[in-house]
């Protein structure tokens, strides 16, 4: 799901156009949405009055206009309204036991999808899943006593600097390494080599927290690897910029 910022002609190709996504608006569905649900197309324009699928015509269009009702139905399947509750109760089934039968508060779709806490939950779920709940820099897959993964989801290019909520703008990191990455003590080179600010990070900390080969532990799906432009932005704008205004987590 994304908001379109602008539609422009495709250079060199007549009667073709490119839709430019508004920075920071992209959000991947948590659940894959099928074309058919119980044999019925989710889009009203693709089904007959009796619910059976139409053939030809609109089915073959590369782009279709969605009525608000269809859009809301598809988004609510792909990004459930109660995603925050699902995540909160994922490793603690009793967390919402008292309110188990309470009705879900239905926020309007656009309001929900622009809500930062909701987007953070959606981003965290997909990034941690992509990395197999393993820290991309230490290679460790740690879980607490209740089975909850200790790994966090870090934005490579922060949302405040037009970073997206795409998995390719995320890294699964342990708490300490997340802190170090956000403060520019570590970064990632173009070839996925881990960069360390050696004049600020002691050698024993590097040996203890970072994989010996200094190579990033990447998702199996290459489409979910960190985007080179996001890594370049972090190297140029964050890496090496740390000023010691707070105590180091290993001190």
């Amino acid at each position: 799901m994304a908001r379109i910022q602008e539609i422009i002609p495709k250079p060199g190709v007549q009667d073709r156009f490119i839709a430019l996504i508004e920075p920071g608006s992209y959000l991947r569905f948590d659940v894959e949405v099928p074309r058919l649900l119980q044999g019925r197309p989710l889009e009203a324009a693709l089904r007959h009055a009796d619910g059976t699928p139409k053939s030809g015509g609109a089915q073959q269009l590369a782009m279709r206009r969605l009525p608000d009702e269809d859009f809301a139905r598809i988004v609510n399947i792909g990004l459930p309204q109660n995603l925050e509750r699902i995540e909160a109760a994922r490793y603690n089934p009793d967390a919402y036991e008292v309110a188990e039968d309470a009705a879900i508060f239905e926020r309007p779709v656009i309001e929900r999808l622009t809500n930062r806490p909701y987007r953070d939950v959606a981003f965290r779920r997909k990034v941690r899943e992509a990395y197999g709940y393993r820290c991309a820099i230490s290679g460790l897959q740690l879980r607490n006593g209740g089975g909850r993964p200790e790994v966090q989801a870090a934005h490579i290019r922060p949302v405040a600097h037009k970073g997206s909520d795409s998995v390719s703008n995320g890294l699964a990191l342990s708490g300490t390494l997340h802190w170090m990455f956000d403060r520019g003590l570590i970064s990632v080179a173009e070839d996925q080599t881990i960069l360390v600010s050696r004049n600020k990070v002691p050698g024993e900390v590097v040996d203890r927290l970072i994989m010996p080969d200094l190579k990033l532990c990447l998702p199996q799906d290459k489409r979910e690897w960190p985007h080179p432009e996001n890594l370049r932005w972090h190297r140029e704008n964050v890496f090496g910029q740390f000023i010691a205004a707070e105590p180091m987590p290993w001190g």
Side-chain angles (χ1 to χ4, degrees):
M1 190 287 304
R3 191 196 305 269
I4 300 300
Q5 183 180 54
E6 185 181 4
I7 297 177
I8 62 173
K10 186 174 182 178
V13 183
Q14 189 175 2
D15 297 329
R16 293 290 184 273
F17 299 86
I18 297 174
L20 303 180
I21 293 176
E22 180 181 302
S25 70
Y26 176 84
L27 189 63
R28 182 173 166 183
F29 279 3
D30 189 72
V31 178
E32 185 174 336
V33 180
R35 177 182 288 267
L36 303 179
L37 191 63
Q38 297 178 338
R40 298 166 57 97
L42 286 170
E43 298 178 50
L46 302 184
R47 61 177 183 262
H48 295 292
D50 63 358
T52 57
K54 292 181 179 179
S55 59
Q59 290 272 13
Q60 300 174 2
L61 293 175
M63 182 178 295
R64 296 184 294 274
R65 184 180 295 276
L66 280 177
D68 289 349
E69 184 179 350
D70 286 357
F71 174 72
R73 184 185 304 115
I74 291 169
V75 171
N76 284 338
I77 295 172
L79 287 163
Q81 296 183 52
N82 61 337
L83 190 64
E84 294 155 292
R85 174 175 169 174
I86 291 171
E87 180 65 12
R90 190 174 187 177
Y91 303 101
N92 183 11
D94 299 328
Y96 286 88
E97 186 176 2
V98 174
E100 187 173 350
D101 296 328
I104 299 170
F105 172 65
E106 294 193 13
R107 284 180 283 180
V109 171
I110 300 301
E111 178 188 327
R112 187 173 82 249
L113 298 184
T114 55
N115 178 269
R116 190 67 247 165
Y118 182 92
R119 295 182 67 92
D120 284 342
V121 168
F123 174 75
R124 181 167 71 248
R125 284 170 64 89
K126 300 313 291 185
V127 169
R128 298 199 306 179
E129 179 185 336
Y131 283 83
Y133 306 95
R134 185 183 305 278
C135 176
I137 290 180
S138 71
L140 296 176
Q141 189 182 51
L142 300 176
R143 292 180 182 267
N144 66 17
R148 182 188 300 273
E150 294 296 334
V151 71
Q152 302 173 2
H155 284 88
I156 300 171
R157 181 169 182 155
V159 173
H161 293 278
K162 298 184 178 180
S164 76
D165 290 310
S166 167
V167 174
S168 63
N169 187 41
L171 286 173
L173 298 175
S174 66
T176 299
L177 289 165
H178 188 173
W179 183 92
M180 294 171 67
F181 185 81
D182 284 352
R183 284 153 183 78
L185 295 173
I186 52 178
S187 191
V188 182
E190 191 172 353
D191 64 353
Q192 282 91 43
T193 298
I194 299 163
L195 303 174
V196 182
S197 184
R198 297 280 179 172
N199 62 329
K200 301 182 181 75
V201 182
E204 60 269 22
V205 173
V206 175
D207 295 339
R208 189 167 68 244
L209 295 180
I210 300 176
M211 289 186 289
D213 63 359
L214 294 179
K215 282 292 186 180
L216 209 61
C217 183
L218 296 164
Q220 291 184 345
D221 189 342
K222 286 189 176 183
R223 294 172 298 180
E224 296 177 329
W225 286 15
H227 195 286
E229 279 301 304
N230 293 329
L231 294 176
R232 180 189 62 79
W233 187 93
H234 186 270
R235 290 194 301 272
E236 294 180 0
N237 294 275
V238 182
F239 184 56
Q241 305 300 314
F242 178 75
I243 299 176
E246 54 187 303
M248 301 290 193
W250 54 81

